[in-house]
Amino acid sequence: MTIETLDLDAKVGLYQAQVELRQFEKRAYDLFLENFVKGTSHLSLGQEAIAAGFAAAMRQDDYTFATYRGHAHTLARGVTMTAVLAELMGRTNGLMAGKGGSMHLTSVEHGVMGSYAIIGAHLPIACGAAWSAQYRGSGQVAVCFFGDGTTNIGAFHEALNFAAIWKLPVVFVCENNLWMEYTRTTDITAVEHPAADRASAYGMERILVDGNDVDAVFEVAKTAIDRARAGEGPSMIEALTYRQAGHSRADPGKYRPDEEVAEWLAKDPIPMYHARLLSEGVSEETLADIDRKVAAMVDLATEEAKAGEAPGREYLMKDVWADGGSAWRN
Amino acid sequence: MAQLTFREAIARGIAQEMRRDESVLLIGEDIGAAGGVFKGTVGLFEEFGGVRVRDTPISEQAILGAAMGAAMTGLRPIAEIMFSDFFAVCWDIVANEIAKSRYMTNGQMSFPLVIRSGNGGGLRFGAQHSQSVENWAMMIPGLKVVVPSNAVDVIGLMAAAVRDPDPVIFLEAKSLYASKMDVPDGEIVDTLGTAKVLRQGSSATIVTLGGMVPKTMAAAEELAAQGIDCTVVDVRTLVPLDTQTILREVSATGRLFTVEENPRVLGWGAELSSIVAEELFYDLDGPIVRITTPHIPLPAADALEDMAIPSVERIVSEISRSMNQ
């Protein structure tokens, strides 16, 4: 969904986009508990406004680079729920036939150029895609999402400098959810705002946005993306948000103070947006219809994903090389 | 026909491909107007300009990340890592990202890129600027590994690497940069995964690559004078590995020696020995012997470095001793 102006129809679309991400993540969590999804998973519960707002501001051929917490960013670009759920379940109808899993969601045809599970790696890679767009004159922009914890690894700093000196069409988006994994980011970071306060070191503007307000996210995303597309160089945006669940499947998030959790649940992006749309004249019934429609989508996707087959041996040895095979010797 | 040094051949190989294909770009530290610290890119900035031949900061992760991102979106970048030891600061991009992303995405992505790097010892640079790291790359599924030994092969294998749809680690022996060779005019394109028989003998087969090739050839001449007539195989590309040529040549003589610059443990010769032991055991007339650098960091002092890296004398004496047992 690409939005040009934020009229009421567009806003209803942004509401639906967030509800889709929310309901999907809840279902993914349930399927973990039922042991349909193995391994690990990192949910975006509470952070949906960022994925929805940015995706709406992107052109269809723009590039998304996400992290291991990438379900929302992948779905927001238009990948089907079935393909993502089936990937989580390790089925052949998954986005990568089960070969990547939750942390590596990729859909080149949707511009989702990978989800990266080594902290910081994808910032330089996003620079490379932006460099390529710049060289080819394609007008594409790379949008690179990462967490607050990423701001302390070297690749973050290498990438920012690189983007700045080559004036690359890349937008860096720090989703600051306050917690690294089990440690509060401000406890181990030299500045209060780990991304925004460092932007000036690379000649970029200090931009903070309420990451739980999809309208605000959309506006700041559009400005930065337009700027990149116009050849004016990279931007760094720090979006303040909160992950409502633990870091990963194994983490109940008990280290977080109850008051903090309560404070942020009160700022949940979806009820807040629901209330805003009602006040702007959207009917309760319209929004309830969306909620029901999305619930049916998630149910259908669950059934379709469960119906997928486990990959057979033919998947094991293929696609190491471009010839489709894996031979390293003759 | 022109006489070219190994380093001039690198620039010629890259230029050949850049003239042919506008999607070939070159990045690295000091590779532009400076022509590279080993002068492997002299003239490229002048011919192709600063957009296609671009200096980077000292940011190895950014260099290789940029190459990966460009390759996945349709370009064919060549990235230089000045010393192959520096792979240690950007190995995540190589081993976790570039090597695995095609497989993980079920074949959605391609990475037609080349990472070239000065490799190996002999220049008295000490432990952090002298390593032979071909084994680091060989043991990661998803990387092709090229280690040329002469100027003509440099051009042809560079062309093959650039045209290959998969990521190629291209390791240039620093000890060979000044070596010279007559190089034919015109386009030279070689094939990855093809070993070359440089010398045919009947007593034993010596398999080697890169900077060890000239030493092994000199050793083979001395051994011939002692009546030990050796076949010498230049592996040229470790991945894909031309096992068939190697097995054929080992089978013909019944003996295998490897000459490796890398430290002892898990060198490429160990994998090759395992293949030969499994597939050619009953054709062997004696033990497989690996001649390698000891399992130590490389020392800086010339006296010590010369003791560490296989020398012509050591190759001769170890093969001679084993053959006369």
Side-chain angles (χ1 to χ4, degrees):
Chain A
M1 180 185 68
T2 304
I3 291 177
E4 291 305 327
T5 45
L6 209 49
D7 57 22
L8 212 48
D9 279 350
K11 289 185 173 192
V12 171
L14 284 175
Y15 175 78
Q16 177 166 336
Q18 293 179 88
V19 171
E20 287 178 13
L21 304 181
R22 172 67 52 90
Q23 292 202 23
F24 177 93
E25 292 288 58
K26 285 185 159 178
R27 179 58 54 87
Y29 185 70
D30 291 344
L31 290 167
F32 267 120
L33 298 180
E34 294 169 37
N35 206 30
F36 278 103
V37 177
K38 313 286 194 329
T40 188
S41 174
H42 306 76
L43 305 177
S44 288
L45 292 169
Q47 305 181 200
E48 297 89 345
I50 300 168
F54 266 91
M58 290 169 77
R59 209 168 77 180
Q60 207 166 4
D61 62 347
D62 286 339
Y63 300 126
T64 290
F65 288 82
T67 67
Y68 53 88
R69 195 181 304 286
H71 303 173
H73 293 298
T74 303
L75 292 165
R77 296 301 308 278
V79 177
T80 68
M81 289 184 182
T82 301
V84 177
L85 263 190
E87 183 63 29
L88 268 54
M89 290 190 210
R91 308 295 169 100
T92 53
N93 55 339
L95 199 49
M96 298 102 83
K99 293 180 76 171
S102 164
M103 295 201 283
H104 299 291
L105 298 173
T106 302
S107 181
V108 171
E109 64 166 306
H110 294 91
V112 181
M113 304 308 280
S115 304
Y116 296 81
I118 308 292
I119 295 292
H122 63 310
L123 280 80
I125 300 166
C127 286
W131 171 43
S132 163
Q134 183 188 61
Y135 178 73
R136 290 180 284 114
S138 67
Q140 292 161 289
V141 174
V143 181
C144 181
F145 301 93
F146 53 90
D148 38 273
T150 298
T151 61
N152 289 319
I153 203 164
F156 169 88
H157 298 274
E158 290 194 15
L160 262 59
N161 184 57
F162 211 82
I165 56 169
W166 288 9
K167 233 175 168 187
L168 297 176
V170 58
V171 179
F172 298 107
V173 185
C174 175
E175 301 185 47
N176 183 359
N177 63 24
L178 310 187
W179 292 86
M180 190 180 75
E181 187 160 353
Y182 304 123
T183 304
R184 191 184 289 283
T185 295
T186 48
D187 290 348
I188 42 84
T189 305
V191 291
E192 185 190 356
H193 289 288
D197 288 351
R198 283 148 159 175
S200 68
Y202 302 101
M204 293 182 220
E205 200 183 332
R206 184 180 189 278
I207 304 173
L208 280 169
V209 65
D210 178 354
N212 283 15
D213 179 344
V214 72
D215 290 347
V217 170
F218 173 81
E219 295 295 355
V220 80
K222 185 145 181 45
T223 303
I225 290 168
D226 287 350
R227 195 173 170 277
R229 213 183 306 287
E232 290 165 38
S235 298
M236 165 67 74
I237 293 161
E238 181 174 324
L240 297 170
T241 186
Y242 200 69
R243 65 168 150 78
Q244 294 178 356
H247 169 75
S248 65
R249 178 198 185 190
D251 171 22
K254 293 289 188 205
Y255 42 85
R256 302 171 306 171
D258 292 343
E259 320 79 71
E260 181 184 286
V261 175
E263 179 200 334
W264 279 95
L265 283 175
K267 294 192 275 191
D268 186 318
I270 295 173
M272 280 203 324
Y273 204 56
H274 188 278
R276 182 182 302 165
L277 293 190
L278 291 182
S279 76
E280 291 183 9
V282 179
S283 73
E284 180 87 52
E285 195 186 326
T286 302
L287 300 180
D289 273 348
I290 288 173
D291 293 348
R292 276 192 297 273
K293 188 168 79 183
V294 172
M297 283 170 69
V298 173
D299 284 342
L300 178 64
T302 306
E303 290 316 307
E304 288 177 345
K306 283 182 177 174
E309 292 177 5
R313 200 169 176 79
E314 68 273 21
Y315 285 92
L316 184 66
M317 301 303 288
K318 79 183 189 80
D319 287 323
V320 172
W321 307 123
D323 67 6
S326 58
W328 57 274
R329 55 165 284 192
N330 62 10
Chain B
M1 190 76 81
Q3 194 172 61
L4 288 189
T5 59
F6 192 92
R7 68 175 97 242
E8 288 165 341
I10 292 160
R12 172 152 152 203
I14 295 170
Q16 173 186 300
E17 296 308 298
M18 291 187 78
R19 282 180 206 125
R20 186 186 59 81
D21 183 350
E22 286 212 331
S23 69
V24 180
L25 308 179
L26 180 66
I27 57 170
E29 297 159 12
D30 299 325
I31 54 108
V37 297
F38 295 116
K39 303 296 169 201
T41 57
V42 169
L44 298 175
F45 178 81
E46 290 72 15
E47 178 172 355
F48 300 102
V51 171
R52 292 183 68 193
V53 178
R54 206 154 184 189
D55 282 325
T56 67
I58 303 172
S59 302
E60 280 80 10
Q61 295 185 77
I63 293 167
L64 296 192
M68 178 176 174
M72 69 164 72
T73 53
L75 301 183
R76 289 182 175 270
I78 303 171
E80 177 180 307
I81 296 297
M82 192 187 287
F83 286 79
S84 64
D85 314 71
F86 305 170
F87 274 118
V89 299
C90 52
W91 201 235
D92 171 52
I93 304 285
V94 180
N96 285 322
E97 314 299 347
I98 289 171
K100 293 176 172 58
S101 291
R102 162 176 284 280
Y103 185 85
M104 290 198 298
T105 63
N106 198 31
Q108 288 184 57
M109 286 180 164
S110 287
F111 301 95
L113 60 87
V114 179
I115 304 170
R116 44 173 294 267
S117 191
N119 189 51
L123 276 68
R124 309 357 182 161
F125 285 167
Q128 297 176 349
H129 291 73
S130 305
Q131 294 172 84
S132 291
V133 307
E134 52 270 27
N135 307 309
W136 299 5
M138 187 189 187
M139 62 178 70
I140 305 294
L143 300 175
K144 294 182 176 174
V145 185
V146 176
V147 192
S149 69
N150 63 69
V152 173
D153 283 5
V154 160
I155 299 169
L157 291 172
M158 176 63 75
V162 169
R163 298 178 193 196
D164 197 89
D166 293 310
V168 178
I169 309 294
F170 193 94
L171 296 171
E172 303 157 4
K174 296 196 290 287
S175 61
L176 297 180
Y177 276 131
S179 64
K180 286 183 181 168
M181 188 178 194
D182 284 334
V183 176
D185 298 329
E187 189 181 75
I188 302 175
V189 185
D190 210 321
T191 309
L192 302 187
T194 54
K196 248 190 202 164
V197 179
L198 300 183
R199 188 182 192 287
Q200 202 85 51
S202 55
S203 312
T205 299
I206 315 174
V207 180
T208 188
L209 53 68
M212 292 294 98
V213 169
K215 290 184 180 182
T216 302
M217 289 300 283
E221 290 309 313
E222 290 191 25
L223 287 161
Q226 298 178 20
I228 301 170
D229 191 14
C230 294
T231 293
V232 175
V233 180
D234 181 354
V235 181
R236 306 198 316 148
T237 73
L238 285 169
V239 181
L241 183 66
D242 183 4
T243 317
Q244 294 310 315
T245 296
I246 295 166
L247 289 173
R248 187 187 71 221
E249 296 304 324
V250 175
S251 175
T253 64
R255 290 300 301 265
L256 168 62
F257 295 87
T258 65
V259 180
E260 308 163 49
E261 188 173 331
N262 44 253
R264 179 79 188 181
V265 176
L266 293 178
W268 56 266
E271 181 59 41
L272 196 59
S273 301
S274 157
I275 292 171
V276 168
E278 277 190 46
E279 300 177 30
L280 221 56
F281 184 76
Y282 297 102
D283 290 354
L284 292 176
D285 299 326
I288 298 169
V289 176
R290 292 178 57 215
I291 300 160
T292 72
T293 294
H295 209 61
I296 55 170
L298 277 175
D302 49 359
L304 292 173
E305 190 182 37
D306 286 344
M307 277 182 244
I309 296 173
S311 61
V312 175
E313 295 70 31
R314 206 172 112 210
I315 298 167
V316 169
S317 70
E318 294 207 22
I319 292 176
S320 161
R321 188 172 58 238
S322 179
M323 292 299 289
N324 290 318
Q325 264 172 1

